[in-house]
Amino acid sequence: MNIEVAYALEEKQTLLPLVVEEGITLKQAIELSGILDTYPQIDLSKDKTGIFGKIVKLNTVLREKDRVEIYRPLIADPKKVRSERAAQGKKMRSGKQT
């Protein structure tokens, strides 16, 4: 069956197509893809993984045309960034500058 393994850095995205046997797990597909050799910073014991944007466990059995994704840790807390942006927007609308 056909699947893909994806990993993205800020400046580069890697998408590896693979043909695998039915019953393969997400972890087996990642190991088979060779992406761990290309990106030694990937740590499957810490980094989250998913299929098409939905976080799943490493022992998940894959289906035809699944895209396995390996997620990097976030650099900034998105909630904090949004609240800071909102606070700046309120200051700008009121005409106040600090």
Side-chain angles (χ1 to χ4, degrees), residues 59-71:
N59 63 356
T60 301
V61 176
L62 301 178
R63 298 184 301 189
E64 176 74 22
K65 298 186 180 178
D66 275 349
R67 183 180 64 223
V68 173
E69 300 165 340
I70 305 163
Y71 306 118

Side-chain angles (χ1 to χ4, degrees), residues 15-95:
L15 189 61
L16 303 170
L18 291 175
V19 177
V20 296
E21 294 187 21
E22 286 191 38
I24 194 168
T25 65
L26 187 136
K27 182 178 181 182
Q28 291 170 327
I30 290 171
E31 291 169 347
L32 184 64
S33 74
I35 202 160
L36 299 175
D37 296 327
T38 306
Y39 298 102
Q41 68 269 32
I42 295 173
D43 183 351
L44 294 180
S45 67
K46 295 179 183 175
D47 296 338
K48 294 184 187 284
T49 56
I51 298 173
F52 290 117
K54 182 179 178 186
I55 294 177
V56 297
K57 295 181 180 181
L58 291 170
N59 63 356
T60 301
V61 176
L62 301 178
R63 298 184 301 189
E64 176 74 22
K65 298 186 180 178
D66 275 349
R67 183 180 64 223
V68 173
E69 300 165 340
I70 305 163
Y71 306 118
R72 293 180 294 123
L74 294 176
I75 295 170
D77 179 6
K79 288 182 182 179
K80 183 178 178 184
V81 171
R82 277 193 297 272
S83 65
E84 288 173 358
R85 255 192 235 140
Q88 284 185 347
K90 287 179 185 176
K91 287 179 189 175
M92 293 179 87
R93 282 192 296 258
S94 69

